[in-house]
Amino acid sequence: MAELKVTAIKEGTVIDHIPAGKGLKVIEILRLNRPNGGALLLASNVNSKKLGRKDIVKVEGRFLSEEEVNKIALIAPTATVNIVRNYKVSEKFKVEIPDEITGILRCANPNCVSNHEYTVSKFYVVSREPLKVRCHYCERTMEEEDILRNL
Amino acid sequence: MEWKGRDVISIRDFSKEDIEFLLKVAERLEAELNEKGSLDYAKGKILATLFFEPSTRTRLSFESAMHRLGGSVIGFSSASSTSVKKGESLADTIKTVEQYSDVIVIRHSMEGAARLAAEVAEIPVINAGDGSNQHPTQTLLDLYTIKRAFGKIDGLTIGLLGDLKYGRTVHSLAEALAFYNVELYLISPELLRMPKHIIEELQEKGVKVHETSDLEGAIPELDVLYVTRIQRERFPDEQEYLKVKGSYQVNCEVLKNAKETLKVMHPLPRVDEIHPEVDKSKHALYFRQVFSGVPVRMALLGLTLGVL
């Protein structure tokens, strides 16, 4: 399946080893589906030695910020990011959930001060599997479903 | 841990050593107060009490503590009389008030408001209750009351009764009790059970937890029964409140099977959850609990101001 090779795009990013079914969510969270001039490719439910089944997202002409990589880590902690330049993988790394998540997640508690006053949101990772984070301000714990809804 | 300049926001910020140290200082201050009537450690210092949400009891307790330490107090007791009404942000209110004072005590309806205030202010900020999140000074005075009554906290079996879902006092108290070797009975209607994440935390810390809705079944086991009001104002849905209103009433009949030494506590105000007939019994500890607020808050104010 040549079209799945990470070198198939000239410049851009390939997000590999996304848990099967989470590829669309990655696209949505990173807003990759907005016109940016480059191709966006999603391979879903692909065979994977590591995961059994996986999704792959390729996006041409787009590189990810640290904040975006952290967002991927929250949705797809097994993902690897490949930076492609001139058809070659120039950099490859695994995403990692940081101990503190700042600025990328909204608190699910409607009465949390961070939803009313100017603050930079901050969460502490309580557990990675299953993913649980605690709001720095209201101390409320959020689990995966809430995290996905508030990214 | 350095106390001078320290914020008191959440019981999570405390270690067992911090708590034990604070309780000792409170005990020392109580003895000094009994001997001298009032003290002058905080002479010349000003406490600002910012009560965006009314709470007469907590405010008066802090004010009394500051006066007994020899300091003075400024502040307000509801947001309606402040610039918040004009749309001022919390951060700006705090930055303004810190120009007038040496320590701030804040009560706010929003969860996390005290944490935000502490980030903005350069002077110490003490949380006097933020929404349904934390009320650490209440927890510290609760621990102080238990320790003064029993001489210890370790080894006790403690029942938390009532609104365990929205009641921040029981959330913080449960977290603080996890430092000690205690057994907890969480007694509430099904709808008002303690949040799952708090129970998990307690269990992870080795606390033996029993969840039940049967007060009478639990009562013979208990050394302390900590009663809370079912707080109408915290319910997002009035119908949900009506389903659980008046679920429990602690009266002499209910206490018939209790240990002789059982102590009943309550953060007050109460509505109908403890019958006034209990007030005169050997079990009532809730008015002594109110008194404990003064030495504990004196200790907190004095330590954070760096005058003790």
Side-chain angles (χ1 to χ4, degrees):
Chain A
M1 297 197 21
E3 69 276 17
L4 290 180
K5 283 185 180 170
V6 291
T7 50
I9 54 173
K10 187 182 176 193
E11 304 275 344
T13 307
V14 176
I15 308 160
D16 199 356
H17 300 111
I18 300 168
K22 296 269 180 78
L24 271 174
K25 195 75 194 169
V26 169
I27 290 171
E28 186 192 318
I29 297 297
L30 301 182
R31 300 178 174 187
L32 298 176
N33 48 355
R34 297 189 173 183
N36 66 353
L40 168 68
L41 302 157
L42 165 67
S44 197
N45 227 19
V46 175
N47 278 327
S48 161
K49 278 185 200 161
K50 208 162 87 178
L51 302 175
R53 294 275 170 185
K54 66 176 180 180
D55 288 0
I56 304 171
V57 170
K58 296 181 192 182
V59 55
E60 206 165 34
R62 176 86 140 72
F63 301 97
L64 303 179
S65 65
E66 191 185 337
E67 190 181 289
E68 288 174 319
V69 171
N70 285 341
K71 279 189 180 180
I72 298 172
L74 294 177
I75 311 164
T78 52
T80 48
V81 175
N82 301 272
I83 310 292
V84 180
R85 294 188 197 276
N86 203 19
Y87 295 107
K88 288 200 171 129
V89 175
S90 66
E91 204 185 324
K92 181 175 181 168
F93 57 90
K94 280 187 177 177
V95 300
E96 212 173 304
I97 300 172
D99 293 336
E100 279 181 30
I101 300 158
T102 48
I104 61 174
L105 191 59
R106 233 172 63 94
C107 184
N109 172 8
N111 200 35
C112 176
V113 74
S114 66
N115 289 320
H116 299 272
E117 294 269 337
Y118 174 75
T119 58
V120 176
S121 74
K122 184 151 118 183
F123 295 85
Y124 304 104
V125 174
V126 178
S127 131
R128 287 184 159 73
E129 213 172 324
L131 184 59
K132 278 187 202 171
V133 299
R134 178 182 300 122
C135 176
H136 167 67
Y137 289 101
C138 74
E139 306 189 5
R140 196 74 67 86
T141 306
M142 278 165 50
E143 299 190 7
E144 201 174 336
E145 206 177 298
D146 271 337
I147 293 169
L148 291 180
R149 259 204 303 267
N150 288 284
L151 266 170
Chain B
M1 166 59 95
E2 174 67 54
W3 278 88
K4 186 179 177 183
R6 185 177 180 176
D7 303 308
V8 178
I9 305 302
S10 167
I11 210 74
R12 289 176 190 278
D13 303 337
F14 286 81
S15 65
K16 183 175 182 181
E17 290 68 35
D18 290 334
I19 292 173
E20 291 288 306
F21 175 72
L22 183 95
L23 301 187
K24 278 206 180 90
V25 173
E27 204 168 336
R28 190 190 93 205
L29 289 172
E30 187 181 332
E32 280 188 53
L33 255 189
N34 285 340
E35 196 188 320
K36 298 178 189 164
S38 66
L39 309 171
D40 60 0
Y41 290 110
K43 198 173 171 193
K45 300 287 184 189
I46 298 174
L47 159 68
T49 54
L50 312 187
F51 278 62
F52 292 87
E53 181 184 69
S55 171
T56 312
R57 189 177 320 270
T58 305
R59 187 169 55 82
L60 291 181
S61 172
F62 269 109
E63 290 187 2
S64 171
M66 192 58 174
H67 287 305
R68 295 229 189 264
L69 271 182
S72 48
V73 183
I74 57 171
F76 54 81
S77 55
S78 88
S80 60
S81 57
T82 71
S83 291
V84 171
K85 262 249 160 174
K86 301 174 193 161
E88 185 179 52
S89 70
L90 174 62
D92 281 4
T93 306
I94 299 295
K95 281 182 196 156
T96 304
V97 169
E98 74 170 331
Q99 309 304 319
Y100 309 139
S101 53
D102 301 291
V103 57
I104 289 174
V105 168
I106 180 172
R107 156 74 66 116
H108 204 287
S109 59
M110 268 190 261
E111 284 124 48
R115 181 76 70 192
L116 175 62
E119 284 178 350
V120 171
E122 287 181 20
I123 61 174
V125 171
I126 300 177
N127 184 5
D130 58 335
S132 59
N133 182 33
Q134 285 270 336
H135 193 357
T137 66
Q138 176 71 46
T139 299
L140 292 165
L141 79 86
D142 291 340
L143 294 175
Y144 182 73
T145 310
I146 297 172
K147 199 154 189 184
R148 296 284 280 160
F150 291 89
K152 62 172 187 175
I153 298 173
D154 283 318
L156 298 178
T157 299
I158 297 170
L160 306 178
L161 171 74
D163 178 3
L164 308 187
K165 182 177 179 183
Y166 298 110
R168 64 185 165 208
T169 51
V170 277
H171 295 171
S172 311
L173 181 58
E175 282 165 15
L177 286 170
F179 285 126
Y180 296 89
N181 175 25
V182 294
E183 198 166 330
L184 288 184
Y185 279 77
L186 306 177
I187 313 156
S188 71
E190 192 66 29
L191 270 174
L192 296 179
R193 287 172 84 159
M194 182 72 91
K196 201 176 82 188
H197 70 270
I198 296 181
I199 295 179
E200 283 169 4
E201 268 183 61
L202 291 169
Q203 286 168 334
E204 277 163 25
K205 289 179 181 164
V207 178
K208 197 167 177 194
V209 177
H210 309 267
E211 275 193 282
T212 176
S213 53
D214 177 14
L215 170 62
E216 298 197 14
I219 226 157
E221 309 299 324
L222 306 178
D223 297 302
V224 175
L225 175 63
Y226 192 100
V227 186
T228 63
R229 178 168 63 94
I230 295 182
Q231 307 168 94
R232 182 182 215 136
E233 67 274 22
R234 302 263 175 236
F235 279 74
D237 178 359
E238 177 79 6
Q239 288 308 312
E240 200 187 336
Y241 169 72
L242 293 173
K243 279 186 212 162
V244 291
K245 179 184 166 219
S247 297
Y248 297 102
Q249 193 191 49
V250 177
N251 52 34
C252 289
E253 179 63 25
V254 171
L255 292 171
K256 219 172 49 192
N257 296 321
K259 289 180 188 171
E260 281 286 298
T261 51
L262 170 85
K263 296 294 179 200
V264 178
M265 295 173 68
H266 191 301
L268 302 178
R270 66 176 154 176
V271 183
D272 54 4
E273 56 277 5
I274 302 178
H275 194 281
E277 69 187 9
V278 179
D279 296 2
K280 290 197 180 92
S281 76
K282 57 188 179 291
H283 301 298
L285 194 61
Y286 29 93
F287 292 116
R288 163 70 216 189
Q289 191 181 349
V290 174
F291 170 76
S292 296
V294 176
V296 167
R297 288 173 173 133
M298 284 171 76
L300 281 169
L301 290 168
L303 288 169
T304 56
L305 282 167
V307 297
L308 288 177

